[in-house]
Amino acid sequence: MRFEPLEVELRGVADALAPEPDEAELRDAHARIDALAERIMRIRLDHADTQIPTPTQKVFATTIASYADQLDVLEARAREAATYGGARDPASAARAVVDAARATLELRAAAHAAVDARRPEPPAEPEPVPEPTLADLIELD
């Protein structure tokens, strides 16, 4: 399928980062991952037998990240869109959308985790200076 090069690009986002990326680079990498996930989802839906109108497929693809923990909501909306679009089997169409979303979201999550793993460790906190004791405060000769 046409999205395979995009999957390779998605997996390579973390590899393209500098050895010690700053926060701006990490933000950009996460944004690139989300954009690639949208494109992958759009292509997956184009190839799936969803019988859902194209504008609705585009909405699902564009908002894929918001369904990461709500695939049941996506399924309900896809079933409704398939019914409205005149699908012969709205439940099957909804399952096709959810299957495409699950595969896309798994790739997205793995790519985000790879980028997060490249986040530099925060500097170690300095050891606390002990509170002076009374003997430290009073100089005894």
PDB file of all heavy atoms in Angstrom, residues 89-129:
ATOM      1  N   ASP A  89     -23.521  -2.768   5.321  1.00  0.00           N
ATOM      2  CA  ASP A  89     -23.232  -3.340   6.637  1.00  0.00           C
ATOM      3  C   ASP A  89     -22.486  -2.299   7.474  1.00  0.00           C
ATOM      4  O   ASP A  89     -21.252  -2.291   7.512  1.00  0.00           O
ATOM      5  CB  ASP A  89     -22.397  -4.609   6.474  1.00  0.00           C
ATOM      6  CG  ASP A  89     -22.154  -5.334   7.793  1.00  0.00           C
ATOM      7  OD1 ASP A  89     -22.674  -4.883   8.846  1.00  0.00           O
ATOM      8  OD2 ASP A  89     -21.445  -6.351   7.766  1.00  0.00           O
ATOM      9  N   PRO A  90     -23.221  -1.402   8.146  1.00  0.00           N
ATOM     10  CA  PRO A  90     -22.573  -0.337   8.924  1.00  0.00           C
ATOM     11  C   PRO A  90     -21.639  -0.856  10.016  1.00  0.00           C
ATOM     12  O   PRO A  90     -20.601  -0.256  10.286  1.00  0.00           O
ATOM     13  CB  PRO A  90     -23.741   0.444   9.526  1.00  0.00           C
ATOM     14  CG  PRO A  90     -24.909   0.113   8.672  1.00  0.00           C
ATOM     15  CD  PRO A  90     -24.671  -1.264   8.157  1.00  0.00           C
ATOM     16  N   ALA A  91     -21.955  -1.977  10.625  1.00  0.00           N
ATOM     17  CA  ALA A  91     -21.099  -2.524  11.689  1.00  0.00           C
ATOM     18  C   ALA A  91     -19.754  -2.951  11.115  1.00  0.00           C
ATOM     19  O   ALA A  91     -18.707  -2.698  11.713  1.00  0.00           O
ATOM     20  CB  ALA A  91     -21.790  -3.695  12.379  1.00  0.00           C
ATOM     21  N   SER A  92     -19.757  -3.578   9.958  1.00  0.00           N
ATOM     22  CA  SER A  92     -18.513  -3.993   9.312  1.00  0.00           C
ATOM     23  C   SER A  92     -17.689  -2.777   8.894  1.00  0.00           C
ATOM     24  O   SER A  92     -16.464  -2.770   9.033  1.00  0.00           O
ATOM     25  CB  SER A  92     -18.839  -4.857   8.093  1.00  0.00           C
ATOM     26  OG  SER A  92     -17.667  -5.177   7.400  1.00  0.00           O
ATOM     27  N   ALA A  93     -18.367  -1.757   8.381  1.00  0.00           N
ATOM     28  CA  ALA A  93     -17.674  -0.527   7.991  1.00  0.00           C
ATOM     29  C   ALA A  93     -17.024   0.123   9.218  1.00  0.00           C
ATOM     30  O   ALA A  93     -15.876   0.579   9.150  1.00  0.00           O
ATOM     31  CB  ALA A  93     -18.652   0.441   7.328  1.00  0.00           C
ATOM     32  N   ALA A  94     -17.746   0.143  10.330  1.00  0.00           N
ATOM     33  CA  ALA A  94     -17.209   0.732  11.556  1.00  0.00           C
ATOM     34  C   ALA A  94     -16.001  -0.065  12.052  1.00  0.00           C
ATOM     35  O   ALA A  94     -15.010   0.518  12.496  1.00  0.00           O
ATOM     36  CB  ALA A  94     -18.293   0.787  12.631  1.00  0.00           C
ATOM     37  N   ARG A  95     -16.070  -1.394  11.956  1.00  0.00           N
ATOM     38  CA  ARG A  95     -14.926  -2.226  12.361  1.00  0.00           C
ATOM     39  C   ARG A  95     -13.709  -1.936  11.490  1.00  0.00           C
ATOM     40  O   ARG A  95     -12.582  -1.903  11.977  1.00  0.00           O
ATOM     41  CB  ARG A  95     -15.288  -3.710  12.301  1.00  0.00           C
ATOM     42  CG  ARG A  95     -16.006  -4.210  13.538  1.00  0.00           C
ATOM     43  CD  ARG A  95     -16.083  -5.729  13.577  1.00  0.00           C
ATOM     44  NE  ARG A  95     -16.683  -6.306  12.375  1.00  0.00           N
ATOM     45  CZ  ARG A  95     -17.995  -6.433  12.163  1.00  0.00           C
ATOM     46  NH1 ARG A  95     -18.846  -6.011  13.079  1.00  0.00           N
ATOM     47  NH2 ARG A  95     -18.454  -6.975  11.064  1.00  0.00           N
ATOM     48  N   ALA A  96     -13.932  -1.711  10.196  1.00  0.00           N
ATOM     49  CA  ALA A  96     -12.819  -1.397   9.296  1.00  0.00           C
ATOM     50  C   ALA A  96     -12.156  -0.079   9.697  1.00  0.00           C
ATOM     51  O   ALA A  96     -10.928   0.042   9.679  1.00  0.00           O
ATOM     52  CB  ALA A  96     -13.300  -1.333   7.854  1.00  0.00           C
ATOM     53  N   VAL A  97     -12.962   0.896  10.095  1.00  0.00           N
ATOM     54  CA  VAL A  97     -12.419   2.186  10.538  1.00  0.00           C
ATOM     55  C   VAL A  97     -11.632   1.996  11.827  1.00  0.00           C
ATOM     56  O   VAL A  97     -10.513   2.510  11.972  1.00  0.00           O
ATOM     57  CB  VAL A  97     -13.549   3.233  10.736  1.00  0.00           C
ATOM     58  CG1 VAL A  97     -13.025   4.476  11.430  1.00  0.00           C
ATOM     59  CG2 VAL A  97     -14.185   3.582   9.399  1.00  0.00           C
ATOM     60  N   VAL A  98     -12.175   1.253  12.758  1.00  0.00           N
ATOM     61  CA  VAL A  98     -11.498   1.036  14.042  1.00  0.00           C
ATOM     62  C   VAL A  98     -10.214   0.231  13.846  1.00  0.00           C
ATOM     63  O   VAL A  98      -9.192   0.524  14.477  1.00  0.00           O
ATOM     64  CB  VAL A  98     -12.443   0.356  15.056  1.00  0.00           C
ATOM     65  CG1 VAL A  98     -11.695  -0.098  16.297  1.00  0.00           C
ATOM     66  CG2 VAL A  98     -13.565   1.313  15.431  1.00  0.00           C
ATOM     67  N   ASP A  99     -10.238  -0.751  12.963  1.00  0.00           N
ATOM     68  CA  ASP A  99      -9.015  -1.531  12.697  1.00  0.00           C
ATOM     69  C   ASP A  99      -7.927  -0.630  12.117  1.00  0.00           C
ATOM     70  O   ASP A  99      -6.763  -0.716  12.516  1.00  0.00           O
ATOM     71  CB  ASP A  99      -9.309  -2.683  11.733  1.00  0.00           C
ATOM     72  CG  ASP A  99     -10.139  -3.788  12.373  1.00  0.00           C
ATOM     73  OD1 ASP A  99     -10.261  -3.808  13.621  1.00  0.00           O
ATOM     74  OD2 ASP A  99     -10.683  -4.620  11.613  1.00  0.00           O
ATOM     75  N   ALA A 100      -8.306   0.244  11.183  1.00  0.00           N
ATOM     76  CA  ALA A 100      -7.342   1.180  10.604  1.00  0.00           C
ATOM     77  C   ALA A 100      -6.820   2.130  11.680  1.00  0.00           C
ATOM     78  O   ALA A 100      -5.624   2.423  11.739  1.00  0.00           O
ATOM     79  CB  ALA A 100      -7.985   1.967   9.463  1.00  0.00           C
ATOM     80  N   ALA A 101      -7.709   2.593  12.534  1.00  0.00           N
ATOM     81  CA  ALA A 101      -7.319   3.516  13.601  1.00  0.00           C
ATOM     82  C   ALA A 101      -6.388   2.830  14.595  1.00  0.00           C
ATOM     83  O   ALA A 101      -5.376   3.405  15.004  1.00  0.00           O
ATOM     84  CB  ALA A 101      -8.560   4.038  14.325  1.00  0.00           C
ATOM     85  N   ARG A 102      -6.717   1.611  14.969  1.00  0.00           N
ATOM     86  CA  ARG A 102      -5.888   0.886  15.952  1.00  0.00           C
ATOM     87  C   ARG A 102      -4.469   0.704  15.407  1.00  0.00           C
ATOM     88  O   ARG A 102      -3.484   0.978  16.107  1.00  0.00           O
ATOM     89  CB  ARG A 102      -6.512  -0.466  16.283  1.00  0.00           C
ATOM     90  CG  ARG A 102      -5.782  -1.214  17.372  1.00  0.00           C
ATOM     91  CD  ARG A 102      -6.509  -2.485  17.805  1.00  0.00           C
ATOM     92  NE  ARG A 102      -7.716  -2.137  18.561  1.00  0.00           N
ATOM     93  CZ  ARG A 102      -8.965  -2.393  18.147  1.00  0.00           C
ATOM     94  NH1 ARG A 102      -9.180  -2.990  17.001  1.00  0.00           N
ATOM     95  NH2 ARG A 102      -9.999  -2.051  18.894  1.00  0.00           N
ATOM     96  N   ALA A 103      -4.346   0.283  14.164  1.00  0.00           N
ATOM     97  CA  ALA A 103      -3.021   0.079  13.565  1.00  0.00           C
ATOM     98  C   ALA A 103      -2.254   1.400  13.482  1.00  0.00           C
ATOM     99  O   ALA A 103      -1.058   1.456  13.795  1.00  0.00           O
ATOM    100  CB  ALA A 103      -3.165  -0.538  12.178  1.00  0.00           C
ATOM    101  N   THR A 104      -2.943   2.457  13.097  1.00  0.00           N
ATOM    102  CA  THR A 104      -2.302   3.764  12.977  1.00  0.00           C
ATOM    103  C   THR A 104      -1.888   4.288  14.343  1.00  0.00           C
ATOM    104  O   THR A 104      -0.778   4.806  14.514  1.00  0.00           O
ATOM    105  CB  THR A 104      -3.252   4.767  12.285  1.00  0.00           C
ATOM    106  OG1 THR A 104      -3.597   4.248  10.995  1.00  0.00           O
ATOM    107  CG2 THR A 104      -2.612   6.122  12.143  1.00  0.00           C
ATOM    108  N   LEU A 105      -2.754   4.154  15.326  1.00  0.00           N
ATOM    109  CA  LEU A 105      -2.457   4.658  16.666  1.00  0.00           C
ATOM    110  C   LEU A 105      -1.327   3.866  17.332  1.00  0.00           C
ATOM    111  O   LEU A 105      -0.558   4.441  18.110  1.00  0.00           O
ATOM    112  CB  LEU A 105      -3.719   4.646  17.533  1.00  0.00           C
ATOM    113  CG  LEU A 105      -4.763   5.684  17.139  1.00  0.00           C
ATOM    114  CD1 LEU A 105      -6.085   5.419  17.857  1.00  0.00           C
ATOM    115  CD2 LEU A 105      -4.264   7.090  17.407  1.00  0.00           C
ATOM    116  N   GLU A 106      -1.221   2.572  17.029  1.00  0.00           N
ATOM    117  CA  GLU A 106      -0.099   1.794  17.568  1.00  0.00           C
ATOM    118  C   GLU A 106       1.227   2.300  17.004  1.00  0.00           C
ATOM    119  O   GLU A 106       2.201   2.458  17.738  1.00  0.00           O
ATOM    120  CB  GLU A 106      -0.287   0.313  17.263  1.00  0.00           C
ATOM    121  CG  GLU A 106      -1.348  -0.352  18.116  1.00  0.00           C
ATOM    122  CD  GLU A 106      -1.654  -1.777  17.701  1.00  0.00           C
ATOM    123  OE1 GLU A 106      -1.014  -2.299  16.745  1.00  0.00           O
ATOM    124  OE2 GLU A 106      -2.546  -2.380  18.315  1.00  0.00           O
ATOM    125  N   LEU A 107       1.261   2.578  15.697  1.00  0.00           N
ATOM    126  CA  LEU A 107       2.467   3.141  15.086  1.00  0.00           C
ATOM    127  C   LEU A 107       2.788   4.498  15.697  1.00  0.00           C
ATOM    128  O   LEU A 107       3.941   4.795  16.011  1.00  0.00           O
ATOM    129  CB  LEU A 107       2.264   3.324  13.580  1.00  0.00           C
ATOM    130  CG  LEU A 107       2.399   2.100  12.704  1.00  0.00           C
ATOM    131  CD1 LEU A 107       1.964   2.428  11.281  1.00  0.00           C
ATOM    132  CD2 LEU A 107       3.837   1.620  12.697  1.00  0.00           C
ATOM    133  N   ARG A 108       1.754   5.312  15.846  1.00  0.00           N
ATOM    134  CA  ARG A 108       1.923   6.658  16.405  1.00  0.00           C
ATOM    135  C   ARG A 108       2.481   6.582  17.818  1.00  0.00           C
ATOM    136  O   ARG A 108       3.423   7.302  18.179  1.00  0.00           O
ATOM    137  CB  ARG A 108       0.576   7.379  16.381  1.00  0.00           C
ATOM    138  CG  ARG A 108       0.588   8.747  17.011  1.00  0.00           C
ATOM    139  CD  ARG A 108      -0.837   9.338  16.984  1.00  0.00           C
ATOM    140  NE  ARG A 108      -0.881  10.553  17.738  1.00  0.00           N
ATOM    141  CZ  ARG A 108      -1.185  10.625  19.034  1.00  0.00           C
ATOM    142  NH1 ARG A 108      -1.491   9.542  19.721  1.00  0.00           N
ATOM    143  NH2 ARG A 108      -1.192  11.786  19.656  1.00  0.00           N
ATOM    144  N   ALA A 109       1.915   5.712  18.641  1.00  0.00           N
ATOM    145  CA  ALA A 109       2.369   5.585  20.031  1.00  0.00           C
ATOM    146  C   ALA A 109       3.825   5.119  20.091  1.00  0.00           C
ATOM    147  O   ALA A 109       4.612   5.626  20.899  1.00  0.00           O
ATOM    148  CB  ALA A 109       1.464   4.621  20.796  1.00  0.00           C
ATOM    149  N   ALA A 110       4.186   4.170  19.242  1.00  0.00           N
ATOM    150  CA  ALA A 110       5.564   3.682  19.228  1.00  0.00           C
ATOM    151  C   ALA A 110       6.530   4.792  18.808  1.00  0.00           C
ATOM    152  O   ALA A 110       7.612   4.937  19.385  1.00  0.00           O
ATOM    153  CB  ALA A 110       5.690   2.488  18.289  1.00  0.00           C
ATOM    154  N   ALA A 111       6.129   5.595  17.828  1.00  0.00           N
ATOM    155  CA  ALA A 111       6.989   6.691  17.373  1.00  0.00           C
ATOM    156  C   ALA A 111       7.130   7.761  18.459  1.00  0.00           C
ATOM    157  O   ALA A 111       8.227   8.269  18.694  1.00  0.00           O
ATOM    158  CB  ALA A 111       6.431   7.300  16.089  1.00  0.00           C
ATOM    159  N   HIS A 112       6.030   8.080  19.140  1.00  0.00           N
ATOM    160  CA  HIS A 112       6.106   9.058  20.242  1.00  0.00           C
ATOM    161  C   HIS A 112       7.009   8.537  21.359  1.00  0.00           C
ATOM    162  O   HIS A 112       7.801   9.290  21.929  1.00  0.00           O
ATOM    163  CB  HIS A 112       4.716   9.374  20.793  1.00  0.00           C
ATOM    164  CG  HIS A 112       3.951  10.378  20.004  1.00  0.00           C
ATOM    165  ND1 HIS A 112       4.401  11.665  19.787  1.00  0.00           N
ATOM    166  CD2 HIS A 112       2.759  10.300  19.370  1.00  0.00           C
ATOM    167  CE1 HIS A 112       3.512  12.327  19.061  1.00  0.00           C
ATOM    168  NE2 HIS A 112       2.514  11.515  18.789  1.00  0.00           N
ATOM    169  N   ALA A 113       6.895   7.247  21.667  1.00  0.00           N
ATOM    170  CA  ALA A 113       7.738   6.667  22.718  1.00  0.00           C
ATOM    171  C   ALA A 113       9.215   6.726  22.327  1.00  0.00           C
ATOM    172  O   ALA A 113      10.072   7.005  23.176  1.00  0.00           O
ATOM    173  CB  ALA A 113       7.313   5.223  22.993  1.00  0.00           C
ATOM    174  N   ALA A 114       9.500   6.482  21.054  1.00  0.00           N
ATOM    175  CA  ALA A 114      10.896   6.541  20.594  1.00  0.00           C
ATOM    176  C   ALA A 114      11.450   7.961  20.716  1.00  0.00           C
ATOM    177  O   ALA A 114      12.609   8.155  21.094  1.00  0.00           O
ATOM    178  CB  ALA A 114      10.999   6.049  19.155  1.00  0.00           C
ATOM    179  N   VAL A 115      10.624   8.954  20.417  1.00  0.00           N
ATOM    180  CA  VAL A 115      11.063  10.354  20.557  1.00  0.00           C
ATOM    181  C   VAL A 115      11.251  10.686  22.032  1.00  0.00           C
ATOM    182  O   VAL A 115      12.255  11.299  22.416  1.00  0.00           O
ATOM    183  CB  VAL A 115      10.063  11.318  19.890  1.00  0.00           C
ATOM    184  CG1 VAL A 115      10.335  12.759  20.295  1.00  0.00           C
ATOM    185  CG2 VAL A 115      10.122  11.169  18.374  1.00  0.00           C
ATOM    186  N   ASP A 116      10.315  10.270  22.863  1.00  0.00           N
ATOM    187  CA  ASP A 116      10.434  10.554  24.298  1.00  0.00           C
ATOM    188  C   ASP A 116      11.664   9.888  24.910  1.00  0.00           C
ATOM    189  O   ASP A 116      12.272  10.421  25.842  1.00  0.00           O
ATOM    190  CB  ASP A 116       9.172  10.110  25.046  1.00  0.00           C
ATOM    191  CG  ASP A 116       7.994  11.028  24.779  1.00  0.00           C
ATOM    192  OD1 ASP A 116       8.216  12.191  24.364  1.00  0.00           O
ATOM    193  OD2 ASP A 116       6.843  10.574  24.960  1.00  0.00           O
ATOM    194  N   ALA A 117      12.045   8.744  24.369  1.00  0.00           N
ATOM    195  CA  ALA A 117      13.238   8.058  24.874  1.00  0.00           C
ATOM    196  C   ALA A 117      14.512   8.842  24.566  1.00  0.00           C
ATOM    197  O   ALA A 117      15.523   8.656  25.230  1.00  0.00           O
ATOM    198  CB  ALA A 117      13.333   6.655  24.268  1.00  0.00           C
ATOM    199  N   ARG A 118      14.445   9.726  23.584  1.00  0.00           N
ATOM    200  CA  ARG A 118      15.606  10.537  23.224  1.00  0.00           C
ATOM    201  C   ARG A 118      15.705  11.808  24.069  1.00  0.00           C
ATOM    202  O   ARG A 118      16.668  12.556  23.961  1.00  0.00           O
ATOM    203  CB  ARG A 118      15.533  10.937  21.739  1.00  0.00           C
ATOM    204  CG  ARG A 118      15.567   9.780  20.765  1.00  0.00           C
ATOM    205  CD  ARG A 118      16.918   9.102  20.713  1.00  0.00           C
ATOM    206  NE  ARG A 118      17.993  10.021  20.421  1.00  0.00           N
ATOM    207  CZ  ARG A 118      18.357  10.417  19.212  1.00  0.00           C
ATOM    208  NH1 ARG A 118      17.751   9.951  18.157  1.00  0.00           N
ATOM    209  NH2 ARG A 118      19.356  11.266  19.056  1.00  0.00           N
ATOM    210  N   ARG A 119      14.706  12.048  24.903  1.00  0.00           N
ATOM    211  CA  ARG A 119      14.717  13.231  25.768  1.00  0.00           C
ATOM    212  C   ARG A 119      15.889  13.129  26.723  1.00  0.00           C
ATOM    213  O   ARG A 119      16.057  12.124  27.400  1.00  0.00           O
ATOM    214  CB  ARG A 119      13.402  13.308  26.547  1.00  0.00           C
ATOM    215  CG  ARG A 119      13.221  14.570  27.363  1.00  0.00           C
ATOM    216  CD  ARG A 119      11.856  14.602  28.042  1.00  0.00           C
ATOM    217  NE  ARG A 119      10.747  14.470  27.127  1.00  0.00           N
ATOM    218  CZ  ARG A 119      10.201  15.469  26.446  1.00  0.00           C
ATOM    219  NH1 ARG A 119      10.676  16.686  26.585  1.00  0.00           N
ATOM    220  NH2 ARG A 119       9.195  15.267  25.632  1.00  0.00           N
ATOM    221  N   PRO A 120      16.722  14.169  26.776  1.00  0.00           N
ATOM    222  CA  PRO A 120      17.878  14.095  27.676  1.00  0.00           C
ATOM    223  C   PRO A 120      17.434  14.013  29.137  1.00  0.00           C
ATOM    224  O   PRO A 120      16.386  14.537  29.515  1.00  0.00           O
ATOM    225  CB  PRO A 120      18.636  15.396  27.417  1.00  0.00           C
ATOM    226  CG  PRO A 120      17.853  16.184  26.446  1.00  0.00           C
ATOM    227  CD  PRO A 120      16.644  15.403  26.039  1.00  0.00           C
ATOM    228  N   GLU A 121      18.240  13.327  29.901  1.00  0.00           N
ATOM    229  CA  GLU A 121      17.958  13.218  31.335  1.00  0.00           C
ATOM    230  C   GLU A 121      18.089  14.604  31.958  1.00  0.00           C
ATOM    231  O   GLU A 121      19.012  15.349  31.631  1.00  0.00           O
ATOM    232  CB  GLU A 121      18.947  12.268  32.002  1.00  0.00           C
ATOM    233  CG  GLU A 121      18.783  10.828  31.585  1.00  0.00           C
ATOM    234  CD  GLU A 121      17.493  10.227  32.093  1.00  0.00           C
ATOM    235  OE1 GLU A 121      17.070  10.549  33.229  1.00  0.00           O
ATOM    236  OE2 GLU A 121      16.902   9.434  31.348  1.00  0.00           O
ATOM    237  N   PRO A 122      17.188  14.951  32.860  1.00  0.00           N
ATOM    238  CA  PRO A 122      17.345  16.245  33.534  1.00  0.00           C
ATOM    239  C   PRO A 122      18.611  16.228  34.380  1.00  0.00           C
ATOM    240  O   PRO A 122      19.024  15.171  34.875  1.00  0.00           O
ATOM    241  CB  PRO A 122      16.089  16.364  34.406  1.00  0.00           C
ATOM    242  CG  PRO A 122      15.549  14.989  34.519  1.00  0.00           C
ATOM    243  CD  PRO A 122      16.034  14.210  33.325  1.00  0.00           C
ATOM    244  N   PRO A 123      19.231  17.373  34.547  1.00  0.00           N
ATOM    245  CA  PRO A 123      20.455  17.397  35.360  1.00  0.00           C
ATOM    246  C   PRO A 123      20.135  16.956  36.784  1.00  0.00           C
ATOM    247  O   PRO A 123      19.066  17.239  37.317  1.00  0.00           O
ATOM    248  CB  PRO A 123      20.902  18.857  35.319  1.00  0.00           C
ATOM    249  CG  PRO A 123      19.737  19.631  34.821  1.00  0.00           C
ATOM    250  CD  PRO A 123      18.841  18.681  34.077  1.00  0.00           C
ATOM    251  N   ALA A 124      21.092  16.264  37.349  1.00  0.00           N
ATOM    252  CA  ALA A 124      20.904  15.797  38.724  1.00  0.00           C
ATOM    253  C   ALA A 124      20.837  16.993  39.656  1.00  0.00           C
ATOM    254  O   ALA A 124      21.553  17.981  39.491  1.00  0.00           O
ATOM    255  CB  ALA A 124      22.056  14.877  39.124  1.00  0.00           C
ATOM    256  N   GLU A 125      19.957  16.874  40.625  1.00  0.00           N
ATOM    257  CA  GLU A 125      19.841  17.955  41.597  1.00  0.00           C
ATOM    258  C   GLU A 125      21.063  17.928  42.506  1.00  0.00           C
ATOM    259  O   GLU A 125      21.528  16.854  42.890  1.00  0.00           O
ATOM    260  CB  GLU A 125      18.567  17.799  42.408  1.00  0.00           C
ATOM    261  CG  GLU A 125      17.316  18.024  41.586  1.00  0.00           C
ATOM    262  CD  GLU A 125      16.070  18.071  42.445  1.00  0.00           C
ATOM    263  OE1 GLU A 125      16.183  18.427  43.645  1.00  0.00           O
ATOM    264  OE2 GLU A 125      15.013  17.750  41.921  1.00  0.00           O
ATOM    265  N   PRO A 126      21.563  19.096  42.835  1.00  0.00           N
ATOM    266  CA  PRO A 126      22.728  19.109  43.727  1.00  0.00           C
ATOM    267  C   PRO A 126      22.343  18.563  45.095  1.00  0.00           C
ATOM    268  O   PRO A 126      21.198  18.660  45.525  1.00  0.00           O
ATOM    269  CB  PRO A 126      23.110  20.588  43.801  1.00  0.00           C
ATOM    270  CG  PRO A 126      21.884  21.329  43.406  1.00  0.00           C
ATOM    271  CD  PRO A 126      21.107  20.422  42.487  1.00  0.00           C
ATOM    272  N   GLU A 127      23.332  17.994  45.731  1.00  0.00           N
ATOM    273  CA  GLU A 127      23.077  17.463  47.063  1.00  0.00           C
ATOM    274  C   GLU A 127      22.726  18.618  47.986  1.00  0.00           C
ATOM    275  O   GLU A 127      23.353  19.680  47.937  1.00  0.00           O
ATOM    276  CB  GLU A 127      24.301  16.715  47.572  1.00  0.00           C
ATOM    277  CG  GLU A 127      24.597  15.493  46.750  1.00  0.00           C
ATOM    278  CD  GLU A 127      25.060  14.359  47.623  1.00  0.00           C
ATOM    279  OE1 GLU A 127      24.980  14.445  48.857  1.00  0.00           O
ATOM    280  OE2 GLU A 127      25.498  13.379  47.033  1.00  0.00           O
ATOM    281  N   PRO A 128      21.741  18.435  48.831  1.00  0.00           N
ATOM    282  CA  PRO A 128      21.374  19.517  49.733  1.00  0.00           C
ATOM    283  C   PRO A 128      22.489  19.806  50.737  1.00  0.00           C
ATOM    284  O   PRO A 128      23.182  18.905  51.205  1.00  0.00           O
ATOM    285  CB  PRO A 128      20.119  19.007  50.443  1.00  0.00           C
ATOM    286  CG  PRO A 128      20.120  17.538  50.252  1.00  0.00           C
ATOM    287  CD  PRO A 128      20.925  17.250  49.006  1.00  0.00           C
ATOM    288  N   VAL A 129      22.649  21.063  50.999  1.00  0.00           N
ATOM    289  CA  VAL A 129      23.641  21.480  51.992  1.00  0.00           C
ATOM    290  C   VAL A 129      23.018  21.242  53.357  1.00  0.00           C
ATOM    291  O   VAL A 129      21.901  21.685  53.621  1.00  0.00           O
ATOM    292  CB  VAL A 129      23.997  22.973  51.809  1.00  0.00           C
ATOM    293  CG1 VAL A 129      24.972  23.433  52.874  1.00  0.00           C
ATOM    294  CG2 VAL A 129      24.525  23.215  50.418  1.00  0.00           C
TER     295      VAL A 129
END
